[in-house]
Amino acid sequence: MLFHLCATCGVEQDPNTPLPDECAICADERQYIPLGGQEWTTVETLAGAGHRAVEHEVEPGLFGLYIEPKTAIGQQSLVVRTPAGSLLWDPIGFVDAAAVEAVAAHGPVIAVAGSHPHMFGVQTQWSRALGDVPILVAEADRSWLARADGPVEFWSGTHEVAPGLTLHQIGGHFPGSAVAHWRAGADGRGVLLTGDGVFPNPDRRTVSFLRSYPNRLPLSAAVVRRIADQLSHLEFDRIIGNFDNVIDSNGHDALAYSAGRHCAWVTGEFDHLT
């Protein structure tokens, strides 16, 4: 059986139903259908075209995995290693034996989780390849799950993956958008893995909050204040996004400053500068 995925976002589709005319995730205002129209592909097609998964160490206990050459959204998956097992975070839209071997080399994987629907990738194929490990999906994003024939577990609010590794639903980009808080990361200072919910900027000192990144739709001041308040009680120093974008240190300060700046701009406080 061929398992199709959208060539634009890399998210897998249900193999037991006909392919839709358009990928629902890409037809939404947060994404886009390419000018040439909807295209579908398969992992086998990508492999035949020379795509492969490349791994690198982000920091001790944290490993990145991305597709080379780049395809679809191009996110980086992260493998978070804990004494209880590893989490595969924001799974890429590609998997093969070499990629599975690389991930499994860090110890047993106990869960696969996407921070939000754009990052679901081929999470079911990853789960199957890793021994049918649970696929954690925020209940609020259930309707975006195009493939649900795997061992999906829905959660809301907070979910402990392992001691010291917890998912937190912050909403914003999607209602179920989540971050992963890794308490032992950054030499014990704590790491926040944020997907698109809190996006480290190129200046490596500030973050952004958007409903749509490709279409540049902002979030309201109220939502950004809510996100910042939700995360303020967590202990973390480093913020890591899903495109190798990082706030190396002082993550709390970066989050607070950036939230305040965002709110000031969208409420008109800086209109005199425009």
Side-chain angles (χ1 to χ4, degrees):
M1 181 181 294
L2 289 177
F3 301 98
H4 286 89
L5 58 144
C6 174
T8 303
C9 69
V11 173
E12 62 189 354
Q13 302 295 302
D14 189 338
N16 299 307
T17 61
L19 281 173
D21 292 335
E22 293 182 331
C23 167
I25 286 176
C26 289
D28 177 70
E29 67 178 1
R30 282 160 286 203
Q31 252 295 96
Y32 60 90
I33 300 293
L35 183 62
Q38 177 66 48
E39 293 183 11
W40 304 102
T41 188
T42 67
V43 166
E44 291 78 9
T45 299
L46 293 174
H51 294 279
R52 61 192 180 97
V54 178
E55 186 195 47
H56 68 108
E57 184 179 59
V58 178
E59 64 170 74
L62 184 66
F63 303 87
L65 195 71
Y66 60 91
I67 306 171
E68 181 65 37
K70 177 183 173 181
T71 185
I73 291 177
Q75 78 265 25
Q76 172 180 249
S77 295
L78 292 166
V79 180
V80 191
R81 189 169 63 191
T82 79
S86 299
L87 168 69
L88 177 61
W89 175 251
D90 282 347
I92 54 176
F94 180 82
V95 59
D96 64 5
V100 172
E101 183 179 357
V103 171
H106 303 301
V109 174
I110 55 177
V112 175
S115 58
H116 64 286
H118 292 149
M119 300 293 112
F120 284 169
V122 292
Q123 58 185 6
T124 307
Q125 292 191 57
W126 271 107
S127 168
R128 298 295 192 207
L130 293 166
D132 287 329
V133 299
I135 303 167
L136 305 178
V137 175
E139 176 65 41
D141 290 338
R142 178 192 287 258
S143 64
W144 292 102
L145 192 62
R147 182 178 179 186
D149 61 324
V152 175
E153 296 182 5
F154 295 102
W155 66 279
S156 297
T158 61
H159 180 84
E160 185 181 68
V161 180
L165 180 59
T166 305
L167 307 184
H168 297 267
Q169 180 185 349
I170 61 170
H173 185 51
F174 274 81
S177 284
V179 301
H181 179 229
W182 179 36
R183 185 65 190 84
D187 295 321
R189 302 188 308 276
V191 168
L192 209 57
L193 309 179
T194 56
D196 284 354
V198 176
F199 194 89
N201 291 326
D203 62 11
R204 302 178 78 90
R205 297 183 293 108
T206 63
V207 298
S208 294
F209 313 86
L210 293 178
R211 174 171 174 80
S212 169
Y213 287 87
N215 300 321
R216 308 298 191 268
L217 296 176
L219 293 173
S220 73
V223 169
V224 170
R225 289 192 191 103
R226 185 194 74 204
I227 291 171
D229 288 346
Q230 283 180 274
L231 297 176
S232 63
H233 71 284
L234 298 178
E235 295 182 27
F236 62 91
D237 188 49
R238 184 170 294 157
I239 301 174
I240 300 178
N242 49 3
F243 294 93
D244 206 21
N245 47 333
V246 179
I247 304 296
D248 289 307
S249 60
N250 300 314
H252 261 287
D253 292 342
L255 178 66
Y257 169 79
S258 300
R261 181 178 69 171
H262 178 104
C263 293
W265 273 106
V266 299
T267 56
E269 290 184 34
F270 293 149
D271 283 359
H272 64 285
L273 299 176
T274 65

